[in-house]
């Protein structure tokens, strides 16, 4: 289902301009919310409006004390409109987990294979030994050209590529923790200590083994999503 912050804003405008009804807006939001919860949340544009869709998805329902169901109010929809059009800034943070079933699709299956290979390399490094063939896997991954960031998986790919590139000497094809840049982090010895757990954490999160947090900031109507690893 094609949906993002601009489309949602247009739908809300249509409601206030009496082009669509309250029922239409609520039903459309409910369908978009259910599609998101079935797996489309992996797409960043859709995840950025998760909170809004969840709220407006109840806009058309009737209050029911027995089932504890209450609709979203006009004031709440108007507040969302204020955020989307840039008159109000806001920040959301929440836990999320990538469900492993997404890797059954043709788009993501090759990426899972890459992550598994990288995990094998990490396991070898943790035993204080790494073969040249494993170093080559790291250099090839760090040198690859990635597409634009449209999903959480692709966002993780950029983070993984970045942390590998910071700790590789590409000319000598060996691990070199001295070139990793940091502020008040203790130099190359700390970089070496942190490299394995940091990379491992990224891989475990993107492969769906652990939860992580995301931050979504709306500033002047523009959403920006960032990863917060626990």
């Amino acid at each position: 289902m094609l949906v993002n912050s601009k489309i949602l804003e247009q739908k809300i405008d249509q409601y206030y301009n009496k082009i669509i009804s309250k029922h239409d807006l609520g039903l459309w939001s409910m369908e978009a919310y259910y599609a998101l919860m079935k797996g489309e949340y992996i797409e960043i544009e859709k995840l950025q409006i998760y909170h809004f869709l969840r709220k407006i998805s109840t806009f058309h329902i009737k209050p029911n004390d027995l089932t504890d169901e209450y609709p979203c109010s006009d004031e709440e929809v108007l507040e969302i409109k204020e955020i989307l059009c840039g008159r109000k800034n806001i920040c959301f943070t929440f836990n999320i987990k990538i469900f492993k079933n997404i890797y059954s699709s043709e788009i993501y299956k090759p990426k899972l294979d890459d992550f598994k290979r990288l995990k094998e390399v990490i396991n070898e490094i943790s035993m204080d030994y790494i073969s040249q063939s494993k170093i080559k896997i790291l250099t090839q991954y760090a040198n690859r050209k990635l597409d634009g960031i449209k999903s959480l998986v692709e966002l993780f790919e950029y983070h993984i590529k970045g942390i590998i590139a910071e700790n590789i000497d590409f000319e000598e094809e060996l691990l070199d923790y001295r070139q990793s840049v940091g502020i008040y982090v203790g130099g190359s010895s700390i970089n070496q200590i942190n490299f394995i757990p940091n990379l491992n954490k990224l891989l475990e999160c993107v492969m769906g083994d652990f939860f992580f947090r995301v931050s979504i900031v709306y500033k002047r109507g523009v959403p920006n999503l960032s990863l917060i690893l626990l």
Side-chain angles (χ1 to χ4, degrees):
M1 186 174 181
L2 180 61
V3 59
N4 54 40
S5 61
K6 293 302 179 186
I7 293 175
L8 177 57
E9 184 181 0
Q10 290 169 5
K11 287 289 183 180
I12 295 174
D13 284 340
Q14 288 174 358
Y15 166 68
Y16 282 112
N17 290 322
K18 301 188 184 305
I19 298 172
I20 63 175
S21 67
K22 173 182 285 193
H23 183 271
D24 292 334
L25 177 58
L27 187 61
W28 177 87
S29 299
M30 184 180 71
E31 291 173 352
Y33 175 65
Y34 285 166
L36 186 148
M37 295 307 295
K38 288 178 180 177
E40 292 185 7
Y41 71 91
I42 200 74
E43 300 172 41
I44 289 175
E45 277 193 336
K46 296 178 180 179
L47 187 58
Q48 287 170 338
I49 57 172
Y50 160 75
H51 282 82
F52 306 145
L53 289 178
R54 184 182 64 172
K55 187 168 289 187
I56 305 177
S57 66
T58 65
F59 195 41
H60 62 302
I61 69 172
K62 294 181 179 180
N64 190 326
D65 292 333
L66 293 177
T67 59
D68 203 28
E69 290 181 321
Y70 303 99
C72 166
S73 66
D74 271 281
E75 290 76 15
E76 289 174 308
V77 174
L78 186 58
E79 182 183 23
I80 291 170
K81 164 67 178 173
E82 294 286 295
I83 296 168
L84 293 174
C85 72
R87 287 194 286 267
K88 180 178 180 179
N89 298 331
I90 199 166
C91 175
F92 302 105
T93 62
F94 53 95
N95 287 330
I96 190 170
K97 186 177 183 181
I98 295 176
F99 286 120
K100 296 183 179 184
N101 60 1
I102 71 161
Y103 290 111
S104 61
S105 72
E106 293 183 5
I107 298 175
Y108 293 111
K109 190 177 184 304
K111 296 179 185 293
L112 180 61
D113 294 336
D114 290 335
F115 300 145
K116 287 179 177 179
R117 279 192 289 270
L118 290 175
K119 283 283 286 183
E120 291 175 2
V121 174
I122 291 301
N123 291 337
E124 193 168 293
I125 295 174
S126 64
M127 293 185 290
D128 294 326
Y129 168 79
I130 182 167
S131 63
Q132 200 60 34
S133 62
K134 292 296 191 293
I135 288 286
K136 198 167 188 66
I137 290 174
L138 292 177
T139 56
Q140 287 175 344
Y141 193 89
N143 277 321
R144 70 169 47 184
K145 183 179 179 181
L146 298 177
D147 296 326
I149 302 174
K150 295 182 179 180
S151 74
L152 288 175
V153 173
E154 290 158 347
L155 182 57
F156 269 103
E157 282 185 305
Y158 272 86
H159 281 279
I160 291 167
K161 176 181 177 179
I163 196 172
I164 292 173
E166 287 176 3
N167 294 280
I168 288 285
D169 183 325
F170 290 98
E171 290 186 4
E172 299 293 332
E173 290 197 340
L174 52 81
L175 289 172
D176 185 357
Y177 304 104
R178 292 172 299 174
Q179 60 186 20
S180 182
V181 177
I183 300 174
Y184 298 127
V185 293
S188 61
S189 60
I190 299 300
N191 293 336
Q192 183 173 1
I193 293 170
N194 290 336
F195 175 64
I196 293 175
N198 288 346
L199 184 54
N200 208 35
K201 182 69 172 178
L202 287 169
L203 290 168
E204 288 171 342
C205 288
V206 74
M207 293 170 72
D209 294 326
F210 289 101
F211 286 91
F212 55 96
R213 291 185 69 79
V214 296
S215 168
I216 299 174
V217 177
Y218 272 85
K219 186 174 182 180
R220 296 175 184 170
V222 179
N224 181 62
L225 183 145
S226 303
L227 297 177
I228 305 174
L229 298 185
L230 302 176

